[in-house]
Every structure is written in structure tokens, then in C-alpha cells.
Amino acid sequence: MRLRLSGTDFQEIADELGYPDRASAAAVFADALHDADHLEPAVRHQAEAHTLDELQDAIWPTALDGDLDAIETVLRLSERRSRLLGLDAPLRLEVAVAPVDAASVTSAEFEELLALGDDPPM
């Protein structure tokens, strides 16, 4: 975990710690990250971003060669990275409200509507 968070790539970690290949080192890291609920969210965030970088680096040449499955995988990784880093613009929702006939609103309904203005729901 320490090596990965310091920026060491999975191949270097595999070489240093004796794993057979970068995929094995990445799998052990993913398991450790999954079991590391005690870590600060910023550390987990950084680790996840590094993992996405490694995965994209591994498949990037194949995607550039035109492999459609690899291209789709790169796009999914990019979408995940965008959500993780908050790069996507928030969705805007439009709420359609039917017009209300003020004459037909009861005093209880009116009080309820006024109360909503004081403390908006989260």
C-alpha cells in the first residue's frame, strides 16, 4: 500500500516484493484497499485514482491500435475517473409543478407549504 501511494507502479511493486507480474501486484493492492476501511477517504481516493491510471496505461496501446473492446474499456475507465475526481458537471433536474388554484388550498395545506420554506428538505 505504501509503495503504491508513493507513486510506484505495479510492475516495480511486483519486482520489489516478488510478485510474478504487475497484475498480481495490482490484485493484492486492490484486496488491501478493499480491506483498508480505516484509511482516510483522501488516501483511498488517491489510491483509486492511481489504480485507474495503471489500468488505463496497461490497455492504452491496444486501444490506440483500434481494438474496439480496449477502446470501450478505456472509455469506461475515463468515465469512472471523471466521477471519482468530480470532473462531470452535476446533473440538472427540472421539476414540473402543476399550477395551484390558490382558492382551493386549505389553511392546513397552506401552513404545510409555509413550513417547507423554513426548513428545506436535504
Side-chain angles (χ1 to χ4, degrees):
M1 183 72 76
R2 181 181 42 77
L3 289 171
R4 186 67 188 121
L5 293 178
S6 70
T8 305
D9 70 33
F10 286 121
Q11 186 59 55
E12 292 174 281
I13 293 171
D15 295 342
E16 184 171 330
L17 300 179
Y19 293 106
D21 54 33
R22 70 188 288 158
S24 298
V28 169
F29 176 77
D31 288 344
L33 186 60
H34 179 71
D35 294 337
D37 292 336
H38 64 280
L39 291 177
E40 293 291 323
V43 172
R44 292 179 60 85
H45 186 269
Q46 178 186 10
E48 180 68 15
H50 282 304
T51 300
L52 292 171
D53 291 343
E54 284 291 322
L55 291 170
Q56 185 166 327
D57 287 347
I59 200 164
W60 188 253
T62 307
L64 290 179
D65 285 342
D67 182 291
L68 294 179
D69 289 334
I71 292 169
E72 185 177 324
T73 300
V74 166
L75 290 173
R76 285 195 319 265
L77 289 168
S78 179
E79 289 169 359
R80 174 68 183 116
R81 181 181 294 105
S82 292
R83 284 191 311 273
L84 178 71
L85 301 177
L87 301 177
D88 292 337
L91 296 176
R92 293 184 63 177
L93 299 176
E94 289 188 30
V95 178
V97 179
V100 176
D101 177 14
S104 67
V105 174
T106 66
S107 61
E109 290 171 329
F110 184 72
E111 291 298 325
E112 188 177 336
L113 288 171
L114 285 177
L116 288 175
D118 293 337
D119 190 16
M122 295 282 177

